[in-house]
Amino acid sequence: MEDELDDRIIYQTYISHVKLITRIAWSVPLKVSHITQSNISYISYVWRMLRMYILRPEFIICGTMLFLLFFYMQALDLWSRNLLGRLQYTISRPRMKVDKLGMFAVGDVEKQSWEMKVGPIAAYAIQGRRPKMEDRFVINDNINNTGVALFAVFDGHGGEFAANYAKEKLIHNLSSKVVQIKNLIAGKPADPEYSGDKQEEKKKDPEKPTTPITTGERRKSFKRTSSTTDECIKGVKEITDNELLSKLDNMKPITRDARPLKLTPSMKKVPITSYFDKFGTVNYEKLVTDEVLSADERLVEVAKKSLDVAGTTALIALLEDHKLIVANVGDSRGVMCDSRGNAIPLSFDHKPQQMRERKRIKEAGGFVTFNGVWRVAGILATSRALGDYPLKDKKLVIANPDVLTFDLKDHKPKFLILASDGLWDIFSNEDAINFIKQRLSEPDYGAKSITLQSYYRGSMDNITVIVINFTDNSFGFYSSKK
């Protein structure tokens, strides 16, 4: 009996609500012209119902919370980069021809691109939606016939000077050391290209641009499709990140004498024999670390003279036989596809929100804030970089690389991907590996496809991708190909 009574009460309540809603619906005039003095009472009645059911405090508070939640989501980096960024670009971009499927815009994207292929290595880079191309990449499949291959990606910010400096000075010095080490191990005389008078001449004028031996510009296989100059603008020191500059200006005055440069161990002359033992085993980890820190200290010294606040990430890979050494500073990233198709990280990003990075920054007297992305002192979205001397003086940003070593005989890789964060803002490690696996048969091993796909999916940064294909055993060790 109690159950029947409960059902009857619920049913009667439902009928009452339906009658009430029906009465309200039929009582509201359909046209303004029909509103008469007699209808005003009905309008007042509707208004009272709204106040009773909708304009209640709990309903208003809940709606406000939902609005604030959506507003916060709008501020998130993923939202702003992908959705709002794509919308703003669609509104402001010039008209472009669109292909028949309406998927891809055929315009200036590929005109502002750089591509290169050397044997089983392919690279593709685009300026994307940035006003300047601040990425740089290096491919050298065999440094001066030493059997050592070198690959690098530099992602500049605040201008192009730091990325250019790293590409020219750091890569040249690192290649020089590799050649000297190999010559000493083999009992050969020093190579004049890397020592002697040429080195002394370069020391006299450290700011004078040098022609890097590793860019592949003299190779016929290098094709540049941009209508502007690459080396991206030799001698030009133009700062393109206005937000970065304004925050630096507000933080403290930028002067040439921000802090005297101390002579650190990395700048002192290190005997070349300290990088290998009597068995001829080269300590590439120590070599790369010393060269990166030395290049950063000299970059900071030169940047102070010209008040250039630019910085750059650095992702450097050395390959000798089956040994792979990857050094990383910043948020460019490398990933390996092993024989099973799994994504193996070759590096880990340096982000301000990471526990060890946040602790180090706080111990140095700095702070980390969130304004769309986590930033050091509210300025820089990566906690390690070359250059950035206003942040480098107090060691809020450092250039110490993380170096990982891999035995490729254990992993039997199919391919490697080295890329700037313009790719990783859109693709996860696994997504990138799966994307390239399906496109290894393309002439550039999918490097161009994944770069353009990142752009079309909304990447707001410069994008540079290097793909190293191991499936044909071009590097002479056991391949993953079955």
Side-chain angles (χ1 to χ4, degrees):
M1 291 294 293
E2 291 181 0
D3 292 340
E4 291 181 1
L5 181 61
D6 290 342
D7 292 342
R8 186 174 300 173
I9 292 172
I10 293 172
Y11 177 74
Q12 290 297 332
T13 303
Y14 170 75
I15 292 297
S16 299
H17 277 82
V18 170
K19 288 181 178 179
L20 178 63
I21 293 172
T22 304
R23 181 180 178 186
I24 292 172
W26 283 104
S27 300
V28 176
L30 297 179
K31 295 183 180 180
V32 176
S33 60
H34 292 167
I35 298 178
T36 62
Q37 189 67 31
S38 61
N39 292 330
I40 293 178
S41 59
Y42 293 108
I43 296 174
S44 300
Y45 178 76
V46 172
W47 174 245
R48 286 198 302 272
M49 292 298 101
L50 289 175
R51 289 171 56 187
M52 183 179 297
Y53 289 101
I54 297 178
L55 301 180
R56 297 179 64 86
E58 57 269 26
F59 189 88
I60 294 174
I61 292 173
C62 181
T64 303
M65 291 178 64
L66 287 174
F67 174 78
L68 293 175
L69 177 62
F70 282 116
F71 184 80
Y72 174 75
M73 290 174 62
Q74 183 177 359
L76 292 179
D77 182 54
L78 184 62
W79 182 291
S80 61
R81 279 178 179 269
N82 292 349
L83 183 58
L84 294 181
R86 190 182 307 177
L87 179 61
Q88 291 168 2
Y89 180 75
T90 303
I91 294 173
S92 62
R93 69 181 178 180
R95 291 182 177 273
M96 292 191 250
K97 295 181 179 179
V98 181
D99 65 3
K100 294 181 180 179
L101 294 178
M103 296 173 62
F104 299 141
V106 182
D108 295 332
V109 180
E110 294 188 40
K111 290 182 181 178
Q112 297 173 333
S113 65
W114 293 260
E115 58 185 304
M116 178 179 181
K117 184 177 181 184
V118 181
I121 310 125
Y124 196 84
I126 61 172
Q127 181 175 319
R129 296 178 173 90
R130 284 296 180 90
K132 293 288 183 181
M133 179 58 170
E134 297 174 337
D135 282 5
R136 300 292 184 272
F137 67 86
V138 174
I139 293 177
N140 192 337
D141 58 337
N142 191 355
I143 302 175
N144 207 42
N145 296 317
T146 57
V148 179
L150 186 152
F151 318 101
V153 174
F154 301 105
D155 181 2
H157 49 261
E160 303 158 353
F161 176 66
N164 277 336
Y165 188 97
K167 178 182 176 182
E168 296 180 359
K169 302 291 185 177
L170 170 57
I171 294 301
H172 184 279
N173 292 340
L174 182 57
S175 300
S176 171
K177 289 291 178 63
V178 170
V179 172
Q180 291 179 49
I181 290 169
K182 289 299 183 178
N183 285 343
L184 286 175
I185 292 175
K188 298 178 182 178
D191 192 320
E193 175 70 19
Y194 297 91
S195 59
D197 296 337
K198 282 199 173 185
Q199 290 295 325
E200 293 301 322
E201 182 182 344
K202 290 167 187 173
K203 289 178 183 177
K204 292 178 183 178
D205 188 3
E207 295 186 60
K208 183 179 179 181
T210 58
T211 303
I213 61 167
T214 59
T215 59
E217 292 176 321
R218 287 172 287 185
R219 295 178 183 269
K220 293 182 179 179
S221 57
F222 180 60
K223 178 184 178 183
R224 183 166 61 87
T225 59
S226 171
S227 57
T228 61
T229 56
D230 186 27
E231 293 323 315
C232 226
I233 317 67
K234 294 181 179 177
V236 174
K237 299 174 183 177
E238 181 175 356
I239 306 220
T240 59
D241 194 333
N242 294 326
E243 181 183 1
L244 174 62
L245 286 179
S246 63
K247 289 182 178 179
L248 285 171
D249 288 334
N250 293 332
M251 184 180 70
K252 66 176 183 177
I254 300 176
T255 65
R256 291 179 173 85
D257 302 321
R259 176 171 293 186
L261 189 66
K262 296 181 180 179
L263 189 64
T264 60
S266 60
M267 291 188 68
K268 296 177 182 178
K269 189 172 182 180
V270 179
I272 196 70
T273 53
S274 66
Y275 295 116
F276 62 92
D277 58 23
K278 62 181 180 180
F279 301 106
T281 303
V282 182
N283 188 344
Y284 286 108
E285 296 88 340
K286 183 177 187 302
L287 174 62
V288 175
T289 300
D290 287 352
E291 288 303 318
V292 168
L293 292 177
S294 178
D296 175 63
E297 288 160 350
R298 297 190 186 280
L299 169 58
V300 168
E301 189 176 30
V302 173
K304 285 181 179 180
K305 294 179 182 178
S306 59
L307 295 180
D308 198 314
V309 299
T312 183
T313 69
L315 179 66
I316 302 171
L318 289 170
L319 177 62
E320 183 181 26
D321 296 328
H322 55 86
K323 188 176 182 182
L324 176 68
I325 301 92
V326 180
N328 180 55
V329 181
D331 55 7
S332 295
R333 193 187 309 166
V335 185
M336 174 197 302
C337 177
D338 68 8
S339 58
R340 297 181 179 179
N342 299 321
I344 309 297
L346 299 179
S347 67
F348 297 92
D349 301 351
H350 295 130
K351 293 293 189 181
Q353 67 268 27
Q354 293 169 347
M355 187 61 67
R356 66 167 183 170
E357 297 295 291
R358 185 191 292 266
K359 181 180 178 182
R360 176 186 61 76
I361 293 166
K362 288 185 176 180
E363 289 176 351
F367 60 92
V368 176
T369 60
F370 181 83
N371 55 351
V373 293
W374 292 98
R375 296 179 184 274
V376 180
I379 297 171
L380 196 61
T382 178
S383 57
R384 300 195 190 190
L386 279 68
D388 295 295
Y389 82 81
L391 297 172
K392 194 66 64 67
D393 280 330
K394 292 186 177 181
K395 297 191 180 300
L396 302 184
V397 173
I398 61 176
N400 300 58
D402 285 335
V403 185
L404 300 178
T405 303
F406 302 86
D407 189 336
L408 299 187
K409 285 186 176 179
D410 295 335
H411 297 282
K412 300 180 178 64
K414 295 180 178 179
F415 58 87
L416 312 180
I417 303 174
L418 308 176
S420 61
D421 69 332
L423 175 74
W424 306 117
D425 288 341
I426 304 298
F427 282 86
S428 67
N429 289 0
E430 292 74 15
D431 290 342
I433 290 298
N434 291 332
F435 189 94
I436 293 295
K437 273 196 299 188
Q438 300 173 13
R439 292 164 177 83
L440 271 181
S441 59
E442 294 180 1
D444 54 10
Y445 313 121
K448 180 177 180 178
S449 295
I450 197 171
T451 302
L452 294 178
Q453 190 65 216
S454 300
Y455 174 84
Y456 296 129
R457 290 186 186 183
S459 178
M460 302 299 293
D461 208 346
N462 304 143
I463 310 169
T464 298
V465 177
I466 299 176
V467 177
I468 306 166
N469 184 8
F470 290 102
T471 55
D472 59 358
N473 200 22
S474 298
F475 290 92
F477 61 88
Y478 183 75
S479 170
S480 62
K481 189 175 182 179
K482 296 182 179 180

